[in-house]
Amino acid sequence: METAPKPGKDVPPKKDKLQTKRKKLRRYWEEEAVPTTAGASPGPPRNKKNRELRPQRPKNAHILKKSRISKKPQVPKKLREWKNPESQRSLSGAQDPFPGPAPVPVEVVQKFCRIDKSRKLPHSKAKTRSRLEVAEAEEEETSIKAARSELLLAEEPGFLEGEDGEDTAKICQADIVEAVDIASAAKHFDLNLRQFGPYRLNYSRTGRHLAFGGRRGHVAALDWVTKKLMCEINVMEAVQDIRFLHSEALLAVAQNRWLHIYDNQGIELHCIRRCDRVTRLEFLPFHFLLATASETGFLTYLDVSVGKIVAALNARAGRLSVMSQNPYNAVIHLGHSNGTVSLWSPAMKEPLAKILCHRGGVRAVAVDSTGAGEPNFDGLESNPYRSRKQRQEWEVKALLEKVPAELICLDPRALAEVDVISLEQGKKEQIERLGYDPQAKAPFQPKPKQKGRSSTASLVKRKRKVMDEEHRDKVRQSLQQQHHKEAKEAKAKPTGARPSALDRFVH
């Protein structure tokens, strides 16, 4: 009769027997282990983490401390600069062959840079310098992102190149349509308007809508992408020029007598009789100004946001029939019959500049780099596919960010500079008008004290003490200015060791 074996060293317990029979799982990133003699794969330790998956932290690494103000941990600078290439691994254990951000050429970054770092403020406070450094860092990061995203802009501005000795002005539109791709050829359309011409054309700021007005009163606007006609009317009067305003919903038409404003349905909204005999129109989108040139020789600026005339300038050059704007600084260019071109701003009654171009009369003026050949539009600035709600939100934002007409000048960068001469002149005129200096410091008046300390002698003593302190501060400031001046002269022309005025005063 066989008896059951007693539990001993050779026979494992029942619990240990179940653990040996249980098959241990293997992760997909772990390599298959070589089977042991018993035929079971040992696998990784059960209660220990695989050290190969995570990089080892160096011994001298800083421990992150939580801020008392913010819940985000404060990362030391040394940890930001330390980068371990082994940490660039994914869950599968594979290492990234191209770690870190993609390199960007310096020339491409400089093309998108808008801050001139060579110009520094001579005497700026520490707080101002820190703000400027933060702004420069943000601008540099933005330039790098723009340069890196330039790879996504696959399209390039098109150009026309003829054969040897071929005149490109003789190339027809039909020839161009046959040579370009299908997507570009689908944008081609032809309008036969032989009855009410000649015509003046204008595209909206988004480039999607087209408005044209004929000399015999024909006015129409359409969406040239979908070929949908927005409106078509006949004003029964000669049309000199036509312009879209800040959106495609409003049209300005310079008719034979006065200036008329229409909506996109052809309904007349306003008739501005102060702008009469208008020949040319230009709209400044960032200032909401409509510039008009008339037969009487007047250049008029109309603020369409409030419906008021900002300025009416007499060019004193006869009939004005040539006008263009510079989108960089919003300066209006007028061409005259004596061969000159004058530059105008609503803040000045005289032209900013006048150029003699040639002996004959000027028939047309165009400003270089207007952005007409750029194929990649800015969706945040002028989106041709925006909805009605997006257009309304953009109008509100543009009205809040409207630039005043007084800031139009030749060099927009000069607006950040301080005109010291005009400031001092204005201060002198204010003093002469009021009879006193409102910014002058009031004389010191000691406060009365008790227990006999407000006697006449003590009051005079305290006044004299304050006067001495103010005088000492003025002397110290003048000596510091002289010291800075001597230091600059010493750097420019080194001389012997000579004590400065501040050193002599201190010693």
Side-chain angles (χ1 to χ4, degrees):
M1 183 176 180
E2 295 181 359
T3 58
K6 296 180 179 181
K9 297 182 179 181
D10 297 331
V11 181
K14 186 176 182 181
K15 184 177 181 181
D16 297 340
K17 188 176 181 181
L18 292 175
Q19 289 181 356
T20 55
K21 289 183 178 181
R22 183 182 298 170
K23 187 177 181 180
K24 295 184 178 181
L25 301 177
R26 180 175 59 84
R27 309 301 181 192
Y28 66 90
W29 64 78
E30 297 175 357
E31 297 181 358
E32 186 176 1
V34 181
T36 57
T37 55
S41 60
R46 183 176 182 181
N47 296 328
K48 294 183 180 181
K49 296 182 179 179
N50 195 355
R51 297 183 177 181
E52 296 181 359
L53 299 180
R54 297 184 179 179
Q56 296 293 333
R57 188 179 67 184
K59 295 181 180 180
N60 56 354
H62 295 270
I63 300 175
L64 303 181
K65 296 181 179 180
K66 293 186 177 180
S67 174
R68 296 180 181 179
I69 302 176
S70 176
K71 295 182 179 181
K72 297 181 180 179
Q74 296 178 349
V75 184
K77 294 183 178 179
K78 293 185 179 179
L79 288 181
R80 294 176 184 175
E81 298 175 356
W82 176 77
K83 291 182 180 180
N84 191 356
E86 295 182 358
S87 63
Q88 302 292 335
R89 293 185 177 181
S90 59
L91 292 176
S92 61
Q95 188 175 358
D96 188 4
F98 305 102
V104 183
V106 183
E107 297 80 7
V108 182
V109 177
Q110 291 178 354
K111 184 174 66 173
F112 294 96
C113 186
R114 298 182 180 180
I115 294 181
D116 188 6
K117 297 183 179 180
S118 61
R119 298 182 62 183
K120 299 292 183 180
L121 294 177
H123 304 288
S124 58
K125 298 182 181 179
K127 189 174 182 180
T128 305
R129 288 197 300 268
S130 62
R131 289 182 178 179
L132 290 176
E133 290 176 358
V134 171
E136 291 178 358
E138 292 179 355
E139 197 276 337
E140 185 178 0
E141 184 179 358
T142 305
S143 303
I144 293 175
K145 290 182 179 179
R148 186 173 287 114
S149 63
E150 191 183 21
L151 299 174
L152 303 177
L153 305 177
E155 299 182 1
E156 296 181 357
F159 59 94
L160 189 62
E161 183 178 359
E163 299 179 357
D164 296 339
E166 184 182 6
D167 188 6
T168 56
K170 297 181 179 180
I171 299 178
C172 302
Q173 293 288 335
D175 301 334
I176 299 176
V177 171
E178 294 178 358
V180 298
D181 57 305
I182 300 176
S184 300
K187 300 177 182 179
H188 170 263
F189 66 98
D190 189 10
L191 293 177
N192 297 321
L193 304 173
R194 300 189 181 95
Q195 187 177 0
F196 301 102
Y199 281 87
R200 294 283 299 177
L201 307 178
N202 180 242
Y203 281 91
S204 62
R205 194 155 178 255
T206 59
R208 177 155 185 165
H209 299 85
L210 172 65
F212 48 88
R215 188 64 57 86
R216 297 186 179 181
H218 182 211
V219 175
L222 57 89
D223 185 350
W224 67 268
V225 178
T226 60
K227 309 302 184 295
K228 181 180 179 181
L229 188 64
M230 298 170 57
C231 67
E232 186 177 15
I233 58 175
N234 197 311
V235 297
M236 306 301 293
E237 196 176 6
V239 175
Q240 303 293 338
D241 202 357
I242 187 170
R243 277 290 181 277
F244 277 111
L245 297 185
H246 56 277
S247 68
E248 62 275 4
L250 295 175
L251 277 171
V253 181
Q255 297 179 197
N256 192 23
R257 293 193 61 184
W258 299 308
L259 178 65
H260 296 260
I261 306 297
Y262 297 91
D263 64 353
N264 55 0
Q265 303 296 327
I267 302 174
E268 182 179 351
L269 302 178
H270 302 284
C271 177
I272 304 171
R273 299 188 179 185
R274 291 189 61 182
C275 300
D276 58 337
R277 304 294 180 183
V278 177
T279 57
R280 290 293 178 266
L281 296 173
E282 283 291 341
F283 183 73
L284 309 179
F286 298 104
H287 306 78
F288 281 77
L289 292 178
L290 180 64
T292 65
S294 64
E295 295 180 356
T296 57
F298 276 86
L299 174 63
T300 307
Y301 288 88
L302 174 66
D303 191 345
V304 298
S305 61
V306 294
K308 294 183 179 180
I309 292 181
V310 176
L313 310 175
N314 189 359
R316 300 184 183 90
R319 186 178 189 271
L320 301 178
S321 59
V322 177
M323 183 170 63
S324 179
Q325 66 161 313
N326 187 353
Y328 171 69
N329 51 15
V331 172
I332 294 296
H333 295 60
L334 295 179
H336 307 290
S337 59
N338 57 359
T340 60
V341 174
S342 56
L343 281 64
W344 295 84
S345 169
M348 301 291 293
K349 294 184 179 180
E350 298 295 330
L352 302 175
K354 186 176 289 187
I355 308 168
L356 178 61
C357 298
H358 48 79
R359 296 180 180 178
V362 179
R363 302 293 300 273
V365 174
V367 181
D368 193 10
S369 300
T370 58
E374 177 62 39
N376 305 299
F377 63 90
D378 187 0
L380 298 178
E381 183 65 27
S382 55
N383 185 10
Y385 306 104
R386 63 189 179 188
S387 61
R388 182 180 179 181
K389 185 67 175 178
Q390 291 175 343
R391 178 182 60 82
Q392 293 175 353
E393 293 177 355
W394 176 86
E395 287 181 4
V396 175
K397 183 179 179 182
L399 283 171
L400 294 175
E401 298 177 352
K402 186 180 71 170
V403 182
E406 295 80 11
L407 300 182
I408 298 177
C409 58
L410 282 177
D411 188 8
R413 295 175 296 180
L415 298 175
E417 300 178 358
V418 179
D419 191 358
V420 182
I421 299 176
S422 301
L423 186 64
E424 293 179 354
Q425 183 67 23
K427 186 177 181 181
K428 290 180 181 179
E429 294 177 356
Q430 185 182 15
I431 293 173
E432 293 176 357
R433 184 173 65 255
L434 298 177
Y436 66 95
D437 188 4
Q439 298 179 359
K441 188 177 180 181
F444 174 72
Q445 295 292 339
K447 295 181 179 180
K449 296 184 178 181
Q450 298 178 356
K451 296 182 180 180
R453 288 183 293 177
S454 294
S455 61
T456 306
S458 62
L459 292 178
V460 172
K461 187 177 180 180
R462 277 190 281 169
K463 287 182 179 180
R464 187 175 299 173
K465 183 179 179 180
V466 173
M467 291 174 60
D468 292 341
E469 290 179 357
E470 292 178 353
H471 178 69
R472 191 179 295 108
D473 293 338
K474 292 180 181 179
V475 173
R476 186 182 293 108
Q477 291 178 2
S478 61
L479 290 176
Q480 287 179 355
Q481 294 177 0
Q482 187 177 356
H483 173 69
H484 290 311
K485 184 178 180 180
E486 291 179 358
K488 290 181 180 179
E489 293 177 355
K491 289 181 180 179
K493 185 178 181 180
T495 56
R498 182 181 177 183
S500 62
L502 181 62
D503 298 334
R504 293 195 298 270
F505 174 75
V506 173
H507 295 293

